[in-house]
Amino acid sequence: MLYRENGQFKTTYRSDLQIFPILQDRIAIGLLLAAVFLIVPLVASDYLIRAILIPFLILSLAALGLNILVGYCGQISLGTGAFMAVGAYAAYNFLVRIDGMPLVVALLLGGFCSMVVGVLFGIPSLRIKGLYLAVATLAAQFFTDWAFLRISWFTNNSPSGSVSVAGLNVLGMPIESPVSKYLLCLSFVAVFALLAKNLVRGAIGREWMAMRDMDVAAAVIGIRPVYAKLTAFAVSSFIVGVAGALWAFIHLGAWEPAAFNIDRSFQLLFMVIIGGLGSIMGAFFGAAFIVILPLLLDQIPYWFGIPISTALASHLTFMIFGALIVFFLIVEPHGLAKLWSIGKQKLRLWPFPH
């Protein structure tokens, strides 16, 4: 009875087009933002922030960018790790080669460079699609792995091939403690999630979804395939590039090209599929499933006092994790976001059956 729309009348176009038209949703989102911005930094331990929350936020941002391309526009990509690497190394070069470069500007410029590379590798999408496009984007992964490993200019002539950043600050405030890093990542995620939500609700989002559902019919009704597909690649690569820069600067601190290998691309693709294609919320559900669930499975034997070796616990975690992925894809192929949506719809009607 608490999740009802009775008496919530929409008397203007502005109120009818709200992101959260139901009052209870607006209150819940406000409380959630207050909790993650104000309460979590005060009560969470350094380990929780550093090892769980920061990776979860950054990978959620990367999955959000990938979901725009795969979920909303229907263009399969296996080069997400490459675009993350471009954002990370571009931001690093802007930071070390330009004196006084602000951290936020360097991160955004890294995303811009990733956007340019993403558009270049997105050009084949104008002629090919499906698995052929996946192979074309996979070429971006192999190319960037080679380039960042062999061309020393990208690593500022580092003899070991690895690079590191230190002394980060935003507006004179140092970004060294886990709380400051968490708040920086959370701010980026909140802003980009809002921008992405508004994009997919607008004209460009409808063009992306029309191309996803039937590109020939979309072209017939006047949608330009070149514009729709390349803008999806541009927006997706920009967000993924910023996420890659945050992953390198905030989470890792020191990294090498192996940090953005093909395993990262597949991990993000699994997040999008499990969380829910074509859903902003699905990016967060998928990241939580991939990042948090294995950690919980690792700890369950110790919580119940089951005497097993560390190696056996690790193998059991992989087995259970894989079985859960298969189970969720069978039960709900549209992802965890669809289950969340069904639950909300049932709450709006409860206790009535229909």
Side-chain angles (χ1 to χ4, degrees), residues 1-347:
M1 300 296 286
L2 297 176
Y3 193 65
R4 289 291 180 85
E5 297 178 72
N6 294 354
Q8 299 182 35
F9 303 108
K10 302 176 180 65
T11 57
T12 63
Y13 288 112
R14 182 184 181 91
S15 62
D16 194 40
L17 294 175
Q18 294 178 96
I19 296 178
F20 301 105
I22 303 177
L23 176 62
Q24 292 90 326
D25 285 340
R26 296 197 296 273
I27 294 175
I29 290 296
L31 293 175
L32 177 63
L33 290 175
V36 295
F37 273 101
L38 302 176
I39 299 176
V40 170
L42 297 177
V43 301
S45 65
D46 287 352
Y47 170 78
L48 178 63
I49 293 175
R50 193 190 306 272
I52 299 177
L53 294 181
I54 290 178
F56 163 72
L57 289 173
I58 299 174
L59 292 178
S60 296
L61 182 60
L64 176 64
L66 181 60
N67 211 345
I68 288 177
L69 182 63
V70 179
Y72 284 98
C73 196
Q75 308 301 303
I76 301 177
S77 174
L78 293 177
T80 316
F83 303 138
M84 289 183 72
V86 171
Y89 280 97
Y92 169 76
N93 279 277
F94 279 117
L95 196 67
V96 299
R97 298 182 187 277
I98 301 177
D99 292 335
M101 170 63 70
L103 175 61
V104 174
V105 176
L107 296 174
L108 295 177
L109 287 175
F112 177 80
C113 293
S114 180
M115 178 183 71
V116 174
V117 175
V119 170
L120 289 176
F121 281 95
I123 291 175
S125 69
L126 306 179
R127 299 296 298 272
I128 59 178
K129 58 183 178 180
L131 294 177
Y132 298 99
L133 178 60
V135 173
T137 56
L138 190 61
Q141 183 70 55
F142 294 139
F143 175 77
T144 55
D145 285 347
W146 173 86
F148 294 131
L149 189 62
R150 301 297 180 185
I151 303 176
S152 59
W153 185 88
F154 291 119
T155 60
N156 198 23
N157 300 310
S158 171
S160 64
S162 63
V163 296
S164 61
V165 291
L168 302 177
N169 69 85
V170 175
L171 299 177
M173 295 180 292
I175 307 297
E176 298 293 341
S177 66
V179 171
S180 61
K181 292 180 179 181
Y182 164 78
L183 290 175
L184 178 64
C185 294
L186 182 60
S187 301
F188 270 97
V189 171
V191 171
F192 278 105
L194 178 61
L195 292 176
K197 184 65 176 178
N198 280 291
L199 274 177
V200 299
R201 294 170 68 239
I204 183 63
R206 291 192 291 272
E207 290 184 4
W208 291 341
M209 289 182 277
M211 295 302 301
R212 174 196 64 192
D213 296 336
M214 188 173 292
D215 53 354
V216 176
V220 168
I221 63 175
I223 294 175
R224 295 169 292 171
V226 174
Y227 176 78
K229 291 183 178 181
L230 291 187
T231 50
F233 267 96
V235 174
S236 172
S237 301
F238 178 79
I239 297 176
V240 169
V242 173
L246 286 172
W247 184 262
F249 281 39
I250 304 302
H251 179 56
L252 299 179
W255 71 95
E256 56 185 11
F260 303 101
N261 57 17
I262 192 172
D263 291 340
R264 184 70 61 201
S265 299
F266 281 112
Q267 183 188 43
L268 291 170
L269 186 61
F270 293 155
M271 286 183 189
V272 171
I273 294 173
I274 295 169
L277 291 168
S279 169
I280 300 298
M281 186 67 74
F284 297 94
F285 284 143
F289 188 90
I290 296 293
V291 174
I292 299 176
L293 185 62
L295 297 175
L296 294 177
L297 291 176
D298 278 335
Q299 298 300 319
I300 286 176
Y302 303 102
W303 291 344
F304 290 96
I306 302 175
I308 60 175
S309 65
T310 305
L312 178 59
S314 177
H315 294 317
L316 287 175
T317 296
F318 280 114
M319 293 170 60
I320 297 172
F321 184 64
L324 286 173
I325 290 177
V326 175
F327 171 77
F328 277 116
L329 291 180
I330 293 174
V331 172
E332 184 49 73
H334 298 289
L336 299 176
K338 183 64 175 179
L339 293 176
W340 175 259
S341 177
I342 292 173
K344 288 177 62 177
Q345 291 297 329
K346 289 185 177 297
L347 276 178

